Amino acid sequence: MATMRYVGILCALLVCGCSTESSRGGSSGGTLAISTGGDPDVLIPNLLQTTTGAQIVDMVYDRLADIGDSLNVVNDRGFTPRLADRWTWAKDSMSIAFHINPNAKWHDGQPVRSNDVRFTIASTKDSTLGSPAASVITNIDSVTTPDSSTAVFWFHSRSPQQFYDAVYQLPIMPEHVWKDIAPAGWRGSEAAKHPIGSGPYRFVRWIPRAAVELVADTANYRGAPKLSRLVWSIAPDFNGALTRFLTGETDFFPQLRPDDLKEVAKHKDLRTRTFRSLSYQFLQFNLRNPNDRDRPHPIFGNRELRRALTMAVDRAALVRSVYDTLAQPALGPTLRVYPTTDPNLQQIPYDPARSRQILDSLGWRVTTRDSMRTRNDRPLRFTISVPGTSQVRVQYAVLLQEQFRRVGVNAEIEKLDFPVLVEKDRKRTIDATIGQWNTQPSPGAVLGSWGIAGSRSTNGNNYGTYENPVFDANIDSALASVDLAKRKAYFTRAYQTIIQDAPAIWLAEPRQIAGYHSRLDIETLRPDSWWIHIPEWSIPADKRIARDKVPSASPAASAPAQPAGQKTP
Amino acid sequence: MPGPTPVSATSSAARPRESPLALSVRALLRKRSSRIALVVLAVIVLVGILAPLIAPYDPAAQPDIVALKSQSPSLAHPFGTDPYSRDVLSRVLYGARLSLVIGILATFVSLTFGVAYGAIAGYVGGMLDAVMMRILDAFLSIPRLLLLLGVLVAWPHLSIAPLILFLGLTGWFGLSRIVRGQVLALKHAEFVTAARALGASRRRILARHLLPNLVSPIAVAATIGVGHVIVLEAGLSFLGIGVPQPLASWGNIIQDGADQVATLWWMSLFPGLFMVLTVMTLNILAEALREFYERRS
Amino acid sequence: MLRYIARRLAQAAIIVAIVATITFALIHLAPGDPFSAVLDNPNVSESVRETLRAQYGLDRPLPEQFVRYVGALSRGELGWSFSHDRPVSEVLGQALPNTLLLMGVALVGSFALGILIALIQVARRGTTTDHALNGITLLFIAMPDFWLALLALLSLAYWLPIFPVGGAVDPVTHDYLSAGGRIVDRLYHLALPAMTLILLASASVARYQRAALLDVLPSDYIRTARLKGLTERQILRRHALRNALLPTITLIGLSFPALLTGAFFIERIFAWPGMGYAVVYAIGTRDYPLVVGGVMIGSIMVTLGSLAADLLYAWADPRVRNI
């Protein structure tokens, strides 16, 4: 089948390799300290929007089933059971019944029941909560619970991604903890500060701006994870996070830049691994007026102007400057790794001369005084907001500022704290921002960030308010097609639409470089979530250092955990 | 050491008239250390003024963001290049210009405000003086950086002009008190009463007697003040709330290289050296001025 | 003496009151509504909003708001920090001890070092040592705080990894160490920031003290001591120093603003979780109440510091008391 062939190629393409089962018998114990440059935003699975938040949530909570390392999103091939130990498709494929592992328990001792699954999906669809995940589970109609251990997902229509839609998007949340809190108050609630999940790690504490600590759930229904403690060490900025890693205060740093590799090579006990990540970066324009969302943006509301701005930027040079060889210019809101992405998508060319022509024709003339353009006494000036802790994005901002300056456009740079930027994004009060989506194995996730639903929902990710029904329709058709060639054709049409509309300048598709301490035995770094296999990471007993020998806070820590074979596929 | 002792009124009436500027220059030329400092400072100021002429490159230009980024010092780029391929030497030269301009203008604002405030308080006296002095004490109790942070959190993204204004408005407190002291001393001086009795206008008294006595504290405050503002502005730019990109200021350049401080050592070293040199010379000059004026009294 | 104390206390109280007015003005002169960030923020719970409205009377006319503001301040309530999702007084209350620790150690260290340098310079006045130390103190006074901190971090935490890279404690292992181990961990993390601040602050102390000593040396009683046959060293120690230390007490009071400013940059670069770190972070998050609360507390610290110094001076120098 064509899908299988493409999956095979996908496997080969992934630098991290395709080993699935780890049959190493690592002994348990040890602490993993991860360096990061910012706090998580919120530890609620259906509200979080930061990768740090996702890392912690994926350790504390479980999904019904986990996608395989080859990231196959079609049917249920490759998925391994988690909270659900088995599932059954209905004959007409309009529903799937999941059976919940009877041993599964929440960290407060309550058993995991099908009500929790129903609650999770219902709350995600609840518009008063405004979950960003709502727009990607539209195919799920509802979940019913014939008994306490069976949850049945009902779908609106058949699609090759049904199973993926049901299990990938959401870790399951405990109904008994959340049901009495009004959705509008979830973020500020006590429950949000002490998440209770069913996953391999228990939450210990979150000291804002300093650390998040998790400890192994040794009584976990799938067996205890090998590392007994996880600590996220939060540094005030990128340099702090990097330096902590280089000096050995932390063990893992997932965001090395090509410039840092030389430095890391000087430390004999540190290693690096380059792996493909599912992320792309872009300069996003707010198409609506930040002060009045019903009106178009005075500058970015005009399609021709956006195209002119795109023409002013030498994207290939920028990528080379920031990433050297470790990234390619992004094609659009998509990744080359998807089988449905045509690598020859037509781009808006780099043509500063034409850019100037277009700007002139739109009425933005250069005033001789400072060679910046104005129209009716209004300067062509806007602000690019970036998170101050992301050196790459700050770098891009300064480079873009100069590219724009050369065609007479005045861009100012505003560096913000990451949570503040996320808040401004959500409220749509930015002019332009350099964003990065760590996207999903399914190319359909693009609807959440660039589709109409994502624009209308209060917590949706379409921060620029780009709304083009043609784009949405093509993506929908693509997702509904089973035939690969048809899917590709629809996706291509959708991508071409959005590329020509230029709601953003597509900057880069970077590889990710992670640095880690040599004593760690790490597994596959899955492109969409490098952290997902942390429960299988281990530290051999003979390589342990001071912080590994710290006694675990949990009283059951002394019970020896079983080595490999705990997970029953 | 506490501030300069108030000049006794009688001595000022007897002194031969020499313009304050000539006096100050004479003060600075006396000691060898201050002569050297004067020369060094003059060079730095000259560099700042001539920056557009002597800088080898446009400080904001990014000529080749791939091949020329983050180069260590070389013949073509004596201070190296930054991660955006901008020439650091040119940026440091322009930075001298900007930092000095900001320092001088802000200090000018401080001086004007400080002299005005102190003179009014001293002259009017009584209740108004007491109130004004208490307000002054309150401002003095807030560290300058803290006051600036309090202002800047409310007005983010200041352009240069408002930045200079706020820097100036936070630095006049100490001088104000000195000026007030001088004015008070003068008010009660005998010879003033005598001069008034003889029909001399207030203006004449001010010009003949008050201003010469103010030269010393103003000159010293100005010299030290410029140094303070330079360091303060660098600090604010380092924190990301001072001079915006792509303008070059010494603090900005250090900020640009801060996340790779180990590998991009030239971005921290050179602007820092320039800053230290400038402030050191200013301090040496200020001290020479202070010593000179103190000896004269 | 008592009258003097009472007067100084009253003065300090007035100053604090005026600073409160200044901070109130800061909050309300700012463009936009400073409280909207809190009130519109979905992360903030309803009870917090109610408290804020009650505390500050946000819909009331300005004079009434001011009265409520002062009332809240006198109860120690400094508002709500939305970036920390906790009361400002709680955030700063937790952060302040760290800053006090840093400043306290730096105060003692810088005065000790400064006086030592001054003594050396005076004992060897005119020699190369004197000139060299003179140049060095000039250098350190001119040095921007953050630059020295960067250099210190680079050289002693990175190139020669003697000290940790930042923070007050090791976030991974601290809670699991023994009581003694915890103290050592804290000292280890305190060392580099404290040393940097000491270096920065001792330069001006040294120059001030040197000038004070040189001032005192020609005095009559010193000449008498010399005639009596005491060695230079004994003179320095027994007579000169004691009298030159009097103005030093004033200097202690005057040095709080500079120490606090220095602490801000040091805390930022070394990620030392003190008030400076919190306030600098708050700039990035536009957390007005936290910054303004920091201004308030900073000024109270400075006022108390100079008050204490003045009272100490009055106790030490009898001439002042009878005023």
Side-chain angles (χ1 to χ4, degrees), chain C residues 89-112:
Chain C
S89 45
E90 200 180 297
V91 176
L92 292 179
Q94 269 180 9
L96 195 57
N98 285 318
T99 303
L100 288 176
L101 176 62
L102 189 60
M103 279 175 70
V105 170
L107 189 65
V108 171
S110 64
F111 272 80

PDB file of all heavy atoms in Angstrom, chain C residues 89-112:
ATOM      1  N   SER C  89       3.314  41.683  48.440  1.00  0.00           N
ATOM      2  CA  SER C  89       4.035  41.619  49.709  1.00  0.00           C
ATOM      3  C   SER C  89       4.587  40.222  49.942  1.00  0.00           C
ATOM      4  O   SER C  89       5.661  40.055  50.507  1.00  0.00           O
ATOM      5  CB  SER C  89       3.121  42.028  50.865  1.00  0.00           C
ATOM      6  OG  SER C  89       1.873  41.394  50.727  1.00  0.00           O
ATOM      7  N   GLU C  90       3.873  39.203  49.440  1.00  0.00           N
ATOM      8  CA  GLU C  90       4.364  37.846  49.620  1.00  0.00           C
ATOM      9  C   GLU C  90       5.591  37.611  48.749  1.00  0.00           C
ATOM     10  O   GLU C  90       6.608  37.071  49.197  1.00  0.00           O
ATOM     11  CB  GLU C  90       3.262  36.852  49.241  1.00  0.00           C
ATOM     12  CG  GLU C  90       3.451  35.478  49.813  1.00  0.00           C
ATOM     13  CD  GLU C  90       2.311  34.573  49.393  1.00  0.00           C
ATOM     14  OE1 GLU C  90       1.174  34.879  49.779  1.00  0.00           O
ATOM     15  OE2 GLU C  90       2.584  33.605  48.656  1.00  0.00           O
ATOM     16  N   VAL C  91       5.501  38.033  47.489  1.00  0.00           N
ATOM     17  CA  VAL C  91       6.622  37.831  46.572  1.00  0.00           C
ATOM     18  C   VAL C  91       7.860  38.544  47.090  1.00  0.00           C
ATOM     19  O   VAL C  91       8.941  37.965  47.202  1.00  0.00           O
ATOM     20  CB  VAL C  91       6.274  38.358  45.168  1.00  0.00           C
ATOM     21  CG1 VAL C  91       7.456  38.251  44.258  1.00  0.00           C
ATOM     22  CG2 VAL C  91       5.092  37.611  44.594  1.00  0.00           C
ATOM     23  N   LEU C  92       7.676  39.847  47.433  1.00  0.00           N
ATOM     24  CA  LEU C  92       8.830  40.608  47.881  1.00  0.00           C
ATOM     25  C   LEU C  92       9.277  40.149  49.262  1.00  0.00           C
ATOM     26  O   LEU C  92      10.465  40.188  49.570  1.00  0.00           O
ATOM     27  CB  LEU C  92       8.502  42.105  47.885  1.00  0.00           C
ATOM     28  CG  LEU C  92       8.302  42.692  46.489  1.00  0.00           C
ATOM     29  CD1 LEU C  92       7.970  44.163  46.568  1.00  0.00           C
ATOM     30  CD2 LEU C  92       9.541  42.470  45.642  1.00  0.00           C
ATOM     31  N   GLY C  93       8.324  39.720  50.087  1.00  0.00           N
ATOM     32  CA  GLY C  93       8.692  39.231  51.410  1.00  0.00           C
ATOM     33  C   GLY C  93       9.606  38.027  51.317  1.00  0.00           C
ATOM     34  O   GLY C  93      10.534  37.861  52.092  1.00  0.00           O
ATOM     35  N   GLN C  94       9.338  37.175  50.314  1.00  0.00           N
ATOM     36  CA  GLN C  94      10.209  36.021  50.148  1.00  0.00           C
ATOM     37  C   GLN C  94      11.544  36.403  49.553  1.00  0.00           C
ATOM     38  O   GLN C  94      12.575  35.798  49.844  1.00  0.00           O
ATOM     39  CB  GLN C  94       9.539  35.018  49.200  1.00  0.00           C
ATOM     40  CG  GLN C  94       8.703  34.021  49.914  1.00  0.00           C
ATOM     41  CD  GLN C  94       8.069  33.056  48.939  1.00  0.00           C
ATOM     42  OE1 GLN C  94       8.402  33.051  47.760  1.00  0.00           O
ATOM     43  NE2 GLN C  94       7.158  32.267  49.433  1.00  0.00           N
ATOM     44  N   ALA C  95      11.518  37.413  48.684  1.00  0.00           N
ATOM     45  CA  ALA C  95      12.736  37.771  47.978  1.00  0.00           C
ATOM     46  C   ALA C  95      13.641  38.650  48.824  1.00  0.00           C
ATOM     47  O   ALA C  95      14.866  38.604  48.695  1.00  0.00           O
ATOM     48  CB  ALA C  95      12.382  38.493  46.681  1.00  0.00           C
ATOM     49  N   LEU C  96      13.036  39.469  49.682  1.00  0.00           N
ATOM     50  CA  LEU C  96      13.819  40.453  50.425  1.00  0.00           C
ATOM     51  C   LEU C  96      14.947  39.853  51.273  1.00  0.00           C
ATOM     52  O   LEU C  96      16.065  40.364  51.254  1.00  0.00           O
ATOM     53  CB  LEU C  96      12.878  41.288  51.304  1.00  0.00           C
ATOM     54  CG  LEU C  96      13.472  42.574  51.878  1.00  0.00           C
ATOM     55  CD1 LEU C  96      13.986  43.451  50.761  1.00  0.00           C
ATOM     56  CD2 LEU C  96      12.415  43.306  52.678  1.00  0.00           C
ATOM     57  N   PRO C  97      14.703  38.791  52.049  1.00  0.00           N
ATOM     58  CA  PRO C  97      15.798  38.246  52.854  1.00  0.00           C
ATOM     59  C   PRO C  97      17.032  37.920  52.026  1.00  0.00           C
ATOM     60  O   PRO C  97      18.155  38.124  52.475  1.00  0.00           O
ATOM     61  CB  PRO C  97      15.191  36.981  53.465  1.00  0.00           C
ATOM     62  CG  PRO C  97      13.743  37.208  53.456  1.00  0.00           C
ATOM     63  CD  PRO C  97      13.441  38.062  52.273  1.00  0.00           C
ATOM     64  N   ASN C  98      16.829  37.426  50.808  1.00  0.00           N
ATOM     65  CA  ASN C  98      17.988  37.127  49.970  1.00  0.00           C
ATOM     66  C   ASN C  98      18.781  38.375  49.630  1.00  0.00           C
ATOM     67  O   ASN C  98      20.008  38.376  49.636  1.00  0.00           O
ATOM     68  CB  ASN C  98      17.531  36.448  48.667  1.00  0.00           C
ATOM     69  CG  ASN C  98      17.134  35.016  48.899  1.00  0.00           C
ATOM     70  OD1 ASN C  98      17.804  34.297  49.638  1.00  0.00           O
ATOM     71  ND2 ASN C  98      16.049  34.590  48.305  1.00  0.00           N
ATOM     72  N   THR C  99      18.049  39.456  49.316  1.00  0.00           N
ATOM     73  CA  THR C  99      18.742  40.703  49.029  1.00  0.00           C
ATOM     74  C   THR C  99      19.436  41.233  50.274  1.00  0.00           C
ATOM     75  O   THR C  99      20.560  41.712  50.205  1.00  0.00           O
ATOM     76  CB  THR C  99      17.750  41.757  48.513  1.00  0.00           C
ATOM     77  OG1 THR C  99      17.091  41.258  47.366  1.00  0.00           O
ATOM     78  CG2 THR C  99      18.474  43.027  48.147  1.00  0.00           C
ATOM     79  N   LEU C 100      18.762  41.139  51.411  1.00  0.00           N
ATOM     80  CA  LEU C 100      19.366  41.627  52.646  1.00  0.00           C
ATOM     81  C   LEU C 100      20.635  40.841  52.969  1.00  0.00           C
ATOM     82  O   LEU C 100      21.631  41.411  53.406  1.00  0.00           O
ATOM     83  CB  LEU C 100      18.370  41.531  53.802  1.00  0.00           C
ATOM     84  CG  LEU C 100      17.224  42.550  53.737  1.00  0.00           C
ATOM     85  CD1 LEU C 100      16.244  42.314  54.874  1.00  0.00           C
ATOM     86  CD2 LEU C 100      17.762  43.965  53.802  1.00  0.00           C
ATOM     87  N   LEU C 101      20.567  39.549  52.728  1.00  0.00           N
ATOM     88  CA  LEU C 101      21.754  38.726  52.978  1.00  0.00           C
ATOM     89  C   LEU C 101      22.914  39.203  52.119  1.00  0.00           C
ATOM     90  O   LEU C 101      24.024  39.446  52.592  1.00  0.00           O
ATOM     91  CB  LEU C 101      21.436  37.261  52.662  1.00  0.00           C
ATOM     92  CG  LEU C 101      22.592  36.265  52.787  1.00  0.00           C
ATOM     93  CD1 LEU C 101      23.080  36.227  54.218  1.00  0.00           C
ATOM     94  CD2 LEU C 101      22.173  34.878  52.337  1.00  0.00           C
ATOM     95  N   LEU C 102      22.638  39.353  50.835  1.00  0.00           N
ATOM     96  CA  LEU C 102      23.671  39.791  49.902  1.00  0.00           C
ATOM     97  C   LEU C 102      24.199  41.166  50.291  1.00  0.00           C
ATOM     98  O   LEU C 102      25.407  41.390  50.371  1.00  0.00           O
ATOM     99  CB  LEU C 102      23.084  39.829  48.490  1.00  0.00           C
ATOM    100  CG  LEU C 102      24.053  40.048  47.342  1.00  0.00           C
ATOM    101  CD1 LEU C 102      25.084  38.958  47.312  1.00  0.00           C
ATOM    102  CD2 LEU C 102      23.291  40.074  46.017  1.00  0.00           C
ATOM    103  N   MET C 103      23.289  42.085  50.563  1.00  0.00           N
ATOM    104  CA  MET C 103      23.707  43.444  50.897  1.00  0.00           C
ATOM    105  C   MET C 103      24.434  43.485  52.229  1.00  0.00           C
ATOM    106  O   MET C 103      25.415  44.215  52.394  1.00  0.00           O
ATOM    107  CB  MET C 103      22.498  44.385  50.956  1.00  0.00           C
ATOM    108  CG  MET C 103      22.057  44.874  49.587  1.00  0.00           C
ATOM    109  SD  MET C 103      20.567  45.855  49.678  1.00  0.00           S
ATOM    110  CE  MET C 103      21.173  47.326  50.490  1.00  0.00           C
ATOM    111  N   GLY C 104      23.959  42.707  53.190  1.00  0.00           N
ATOM    112  CA  GLY C 104      24.599  42.693  54.494  1.00  0.00           C
ATOM    113  C   GLY C 104      26.036  42.214  54.409  1.00  0.00           C
ATOM    114  O   GLY C 104      26.968  42.866  54.896  1.00  0.00           O
ATOM    115  N   VAL C 105      26.210  41.071  53.737  1.00  0.00           N
ATOM    116  CA  VAL C 105      27.562  40.538  53.569  1.00  0.00           C
ATOM    117  C   VAL C 105      28.425  41.537  52.818  1.00  0.00           C
ATOM    118  O   VAL C 105      29.585  41.789  53.173  1.00  0.00           O
ATOM    119  CB  VAL C 105      27.512  39.184  52.823  1.00  0.00           C
ATOM    120  CG1 VAL C 105      28.913  38.756  52.445  1.00  0.00           C
ATOM    121  CG2 VAL C 105      26.858  38.136  53.674  1.00  0.00           C
ATOM    122  N   ALA C 106      27.846  42.151  51.772  1.00  0.00           N
ATOM    123  CA  ALA C 106      28.614  43.102  50.973  1.00  0.00           C
ATOM    124  C   ALA C 106      28.952  44.343  51.785  1.00  0.00           C
ATOM    125  O   ALA C 106      30.037  44.903  51.653  1.00  0.00           O
ATOM    126  CB  ALA C 106      27.832  43.487  49.731  1.00  0.00           C
ATOM    127  N   LEU C 107      28.041  44.783  52.630  1.00  0.00           N
ATOM    128  CA  LEU C 107      28.289  45.968  53.451  1.00  0.00           C
ATOM    129  C   LEU C 107      29.479  45.728  54.364  1.00  0.00           C
ATOM    130  O   LEU C 107      30.454  46.495  54.381  1.00  0.00           O
ATOM    131  CB  LEU C 107      27.042  46.281  54.279  1.00  0.00           C
ATOM    132  CG  LEU C 107      27.022  47.599  55.029  1.00  0.00           C
ATOM    133  CD1 LEU C 107      27.036  48.738  54.037  1.00  0.00           C
ATOM    134  CD2 LEU C 107      25.777  47.693  55.899  1.00  0.00           C
ATOM    135  N   VAL C 108      29.415  44.643  55.113  1.00  0.00           N
ATOM    136  CA  VAL C 108      30.501  44.334  56.031  1.00  0.00           C
ATOM    137  C   VAL C 108      31.807  44.142  55.272  1.00  0.00           C
ATOM    138  O   VAL C 108      32.841  44.725  55.584  1.00  0.00           O
ATOM    139  CB  VAL C 108      30.157  43.059  56.842  1.00  0.00           C
ATOM    140  CG1 VAL C 108      31.363  42.599  57.629  1.00  0.00           C
ATOM    141  CG2 VAL C 108      28.979  43.335  57.763  1.00  0.00           C
ATOM    142  N   GLY C 109      31.730  43.324  54.220  1.00  0.00           N
ATOM    143  CA  GLY C 109      32.933  43.027  53.455  1.00  0.00           C
ATOM    144  C   GLY C 109      33.545  44.254  52.808  1.00  0.00           C
ATOM    145  O   GLY C 109      34.761  44.449  52.829  1.00  0.00           O
ATOM    146  N   SER C 110      32.703  45.098  52.218  1.00  0.00           N
ATOM    147  CA  SER C 110      33.246  46.241  51.482  1.00  0.00           C
ATOM    148  C   SER C 110      33.846  47.254  52.447  1.00  0.00           C
ATOM    149  O   SER C 110      34.863  47.873  52.144  1.00  0.00           O
ATOM    150  CB  SER C 110      32.186  46.884  50.614  1.00  0.00           C
ATOM    151  OG  SER C 110      31.171  47.427  51.415  1.00  0.00           O
ATOM    152  N   PHE C 111      33.246  47.418  53.616  1.00  0.00           N
ATOM    153  CA  PHE C 111      33.833  48.370  54.561  1.00  0.00           C
ATOM    154  C   PHE C 111      35.128  47.824  55.133  1.00  0.00           C
ATOM    155  O   PHE C 111      36.111  48.554  55.299  1.00  0.00           O
ATOM    156  CB  PHE C 111      32.821  48.732  55.655  1.00  0.00           C
ATOM    157  CG  PHE C 111      31.973  49.897  55.248  1.00  0.00           C
ATOM    158  CD1 PHE C 111      30.900  49.714  54.387  1.00  0.00           C
ATOM    159  CD2 PHE C 111      32.281  51.167  55.667  1.00  0.00           C
ATOM    160  CE1 PHE C 111      30.125  50.787  53.983  1.00  0.00           C
ATOM    161  CE2 PHE C 111      31.510  52.251  55.263  1.00  0.00           C
ATOM    162  CZ  PHE C 111      30.446  52.065  54.424  1.00  0.00           C
ATOM    163  N   ALA C 112      35.129  46.541  55.410  1.00  0.00           N
ATOM    164  CA  ALA C 112      36.373  45.961  55.911  1.00  0.00           C
ATOM    165  C   ALA C 112      37.488  46.127  54.888  1.00  0.00           C
ATOM    166  O   ALA C 112      38.572  46.625  55.188  1.00  0.00           O
ATOM    167  CB  ALA C 112      36.161  44.483  56.234  1.00  0.00           C
TER     168      ALA C 112
END
